[in-house]
């Protein structure tokens, strides 16, 4: 696919050209090893592009609908086993800074926003989506049961609605529609099994927030404290034993009135009373964290931030830092940062966030104290149909609000590059990994602001536009250290050699400019 953003494509070429001759304190290093790695990365990228092109030839119209359960079975899941046992349950670590499995292994949350997964995708489409994200190294998908895009009045791909109608003529959360075969909830069950079979956890929202605080959404407002408790209890009874779930209350709406708080609290109590044993959090409105209203709630196991899509300057590191400093200590992450290819401020005339933006948000977050990160693409969250160029979520008028279909968007550069974030951070995640801004001597302001973290014998410094960084080496206990530049576009490490671990040393990045972000990695010998 032709790159929409020329700067990033040019930056990647510059990266590879520079990796063989990196300036570090006046010495050229790298050479054949870096060139061979760059060649391998190019071949891998070419293979992925070839596979994607082969896949796209089938086209959206060539697929036919089959029962969802058939896809769950084909992928290794079992529709008859709704409890599942393939994924270990998640818990909060002893130091309350990150999540880990029940066996005590640190868990790196690499999420994707698939909000309309249950509502808009067939079983076949869902299999394609989940398989792709699993192959790309994602560990979590975030999805909604009562979805945003008229999810309680517009049927799912199989023609079923989630709720029966109540006495007031509105869908009733206390009356899930379970009638007959292939119900909406049968579809949900099968897709949860399918996700588990691909090794993916599901961060599950019982409802989008417009169902209790409509604001600009479709709604309708159908929740009260009473039916929210009944709905939550039913969900707890049905899904409470699934280890591969995390419950996410809220759904992109502020808690502005007492009834809003009452609905959220009742849902949490209902889930617990119904037997839900999984972790629980809250998805807030844009430019906010769950900690704003709910940090001290007993049911809130960790915080979620939505840094959102309205601010051109990416400052999610500051929001993560604010959560990290709160008491009592709770893990935090940015669960909805700027999406790749979303119009900045939701206005197409502003241009779009690109892969350089989503990388910056990711590394800013995890090196400022987040235990993981969520990527998102503007065409994937609503599962935009072909041809993809639409003016709104009505998908009935051509325009520039959406740039491509969800299938095409799955292979966008930012999505492919998230695997390098996980590969870098996952081995370091644990009780010793923490923000460490003192590794930087004389930070730069604004768009060139760096962030740093360390764990064990390793320190990382993220440089969003390349340039240089003055790294403090005195914090290492040993006499020597080894350094390298890590490329977040390719995952290639360019070695800088061994040096004395003392004083402050300037490291010049292999390339500089927009899209030329680098991570300086220093390890004590």
């Amino acid at each position: 696919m032709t790159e929409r953003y020329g700067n990033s494509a040019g930056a990647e070429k510059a990266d590879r050209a520079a990796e063989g001759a990196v300036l570090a304190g006046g010495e050229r290093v790298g050479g054949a090893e870096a060139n061979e790695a760059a060649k391998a990365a190019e071949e891998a990228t070419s293979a992925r592009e070839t596979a994607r092109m082969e896949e796209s030839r089938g086209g959206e119209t060539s697929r036919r609908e089959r029962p969802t359960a058939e896809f769950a079975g084909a992928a290794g899941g079992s529709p008859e086993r709704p409890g599942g046992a393939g994924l270990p349950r998640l818990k909060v670590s002893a130091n309350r800074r990150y999540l880990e499995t029940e066996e005590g292994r640190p868990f790196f949350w690499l999420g994707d926003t698939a909000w309309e997964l249950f509502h808009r995708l067939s079983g076949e489409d869902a299999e394609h989506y989940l398989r792709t994200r699993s192959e790309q190294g994602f560990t979590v998908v975030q999805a909604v049961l009562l979805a945003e895009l008229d999810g309680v009045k517009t049927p799912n791909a199989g023609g079923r609605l989630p709720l029966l109608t109540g006495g007031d003529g509105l869908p009733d959360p206390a009356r899930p529609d379970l009638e007959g075969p292939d119900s909406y909830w049968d579809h949900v069950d099968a897709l949860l099994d399918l996700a588990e079979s691909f090794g993916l956890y599901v961060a599950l929202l019982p409802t989008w927030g417009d169902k209790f605080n409509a604001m600009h959404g479709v709604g309708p407002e159908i929740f009260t404290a009473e039916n929210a408790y009944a709905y939550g209890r039913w969900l707890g009874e049905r899904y409470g034993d699934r280890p591969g779930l995390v419950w996410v209350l809220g759904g992109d709406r502020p808690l502005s009135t007492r009834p809003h708080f009452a609905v959220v609290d009742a849902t949490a109590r209902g889930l617990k009373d119904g037997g839900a044993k999984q972790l629980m959090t809250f998805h807030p409105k844009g430019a906010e964290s769950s900690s704003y209203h709910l940090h001290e709630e007993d049911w809130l196991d960790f915080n979620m931030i939505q840094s959102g899509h309205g601010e051109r300057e990416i400052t999610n590191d500051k929001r993560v830092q604010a959560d990290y400093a709160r008491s009592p200590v709770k893990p935090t992450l940015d669960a909805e940062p700027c999406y790749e290819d979303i119009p900045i401020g939701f206005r197409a005339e502003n241009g779009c966030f690109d892969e350089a933006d989503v990388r910056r948000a990711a590394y800013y977050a995890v090196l400022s104290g987040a235990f993981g990160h969520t990527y998102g693409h503007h065409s994937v969250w609503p599962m935009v149909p072909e041809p993809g160029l639409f003016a709104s979520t009505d998908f009935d008028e051509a325009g520039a609000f959406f740039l491509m279909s969800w299938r095409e968007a799955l292979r966008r550069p930012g999505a492919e590059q998230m695997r390098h974030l996980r590969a870098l951070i996952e081995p370091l995640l644990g009780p010793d990994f923490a923000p460490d801004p003192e590794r930087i001597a004389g930070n730069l302001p604004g768009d060139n602001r760096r962030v740093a973290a360390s764990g064990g014998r390793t320190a990382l410094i993220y440089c969003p536009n390349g340039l240089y960084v003055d790294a403090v080496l005195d914090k290492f206990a040993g006499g020597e250290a080894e350094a390298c530049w890590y490329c977040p576009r390719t995952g290639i490490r360019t070695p800088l050699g061994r040096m004395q671990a003392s004083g402050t040393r300037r490291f010049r990045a292999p390339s500089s400019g927009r899209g030329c972000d680098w991570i300086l990695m220093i390890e004590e010998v």
Side-chain angles (χ1 to χ4, degrees), residues 83-91 99-107 139-140 196 199-202 241-246 277-279:
L87 293 172
R89 195 176 302 277
L90 299 178
K91 63 179 182 177
L99 303 187
E100 61 185 18
T101 66
E102 55 195 345
E103 296 92 354
R105 181 177 181 178
F107 174 75
T139 59
V140 180
E196 181 183 329
L200 293 165
Y201 288 81
V202 178
D241 288 331
R242 281 184 177 265
L245 296 185
V246 173
K277 302 177 180 66
Q278 304 94 339
L279 297 178

Side-chain angles (χ1 to χ4, degrees), residues 56 68 175 211 215 222 263 275 305 309 367 454:
S56 66
T68 305
R175 300 183 65 204
K211 310 302 185 287
M215 295 181 65
I222 57 175
V263 166
I305 297 165
H309 323 286
L367 297 185
S454 62

Side-chain angles (χ1 to χ4, degrees), residues 296-327:
E296 296 185 359
E297 294 294 323
D298 291 341
W299 56 263
L300 188 85
D301 294 303
F302 63 92
N303 280 307
M304 271 190 169
I305 297 165
Q306 184 192 164
S307 59
H309 323 286
E311 301 171 352
R312 182 63 188 92
E313 183 182 4
I314 295 171
T315 59
N316 65 335
D317 56 317
K318 298 178 181 179
R319 291 189 170 95
V320 172
Q321 290 163 8
D323 271 1
Y324 196 87
R326 287 183 180 271
S327 181

Side-chain angles (χ1 to χ4, degrees), residues 71 101 107 124 160 177 183 236 258 290 298 313 335 357 366 373 448 468:
F71 293 97
T101 66
F107 174 75
E124 186 171 8
R160 298 299 300 269
D177 184 359
S183 73
R258 187 177 296 276
S290 57
D298 291 341
E313 183 182 4
D357 298 309
V366 298
H373 190 69
N448 296 313
Y468 65 91

Side-chain angles (χ1 to χ4, degrees), residues 174-293:
R175 300 183 65 204
D177 184 359
L178 303 172
E179 297 177 358
D182 298 323
S183 73
Y184 183 95
W185 301 99
D186 290 333
H187 183 63
V188 170
D189 295 347
L191 296 197
L192 291 178
D193 282 332
L194 196 58
E196 181 183 329
S197 74
F198 287 121
L200 293 165
Y201 288 81
V202 178
L204 193 59
L205 281 73
T207 182
W208 200 246
D210 65 330
K211 310 302 185 287
F212 64 82
N213 184 8
M215 295 181 65
H216 53 274
V218 176
E221 293 186 5
I222 57 175
F223 277 98
T224 64
E226 291 73 23
N227 63 27
Y229 176 83
Y231 177 59
R233 184 171 184 124
W234 178 78
L235 290 176
E237 291 169 350
R238 188 175 183 90
Y239 300 118
D241 288 331
R242 281 184 177 265
L245 296 185
V246 173
W247 293 104
V248 184
L249 307 188
D252 195 28
R253 290 297 184 275
L255 302 180
S256 305
T257 68
R258 187 177 296 276
H260 297 159
F261 283 89
V263 166
V264 171
D265 181 70
T267 306
R269 287 189 293 109
L271 284 165
K272 298 284 189 183
D273 290 350
K277 302 177 180 66
Q278 304 94 339
L279 297 178
M280 198 174 296
T281 187
F282 178 91
H283 176 260
K285 73 176 185 66
E288 198 166 282
S289 171
S290 57
S291 63
Y292 181 69
H293 285 305

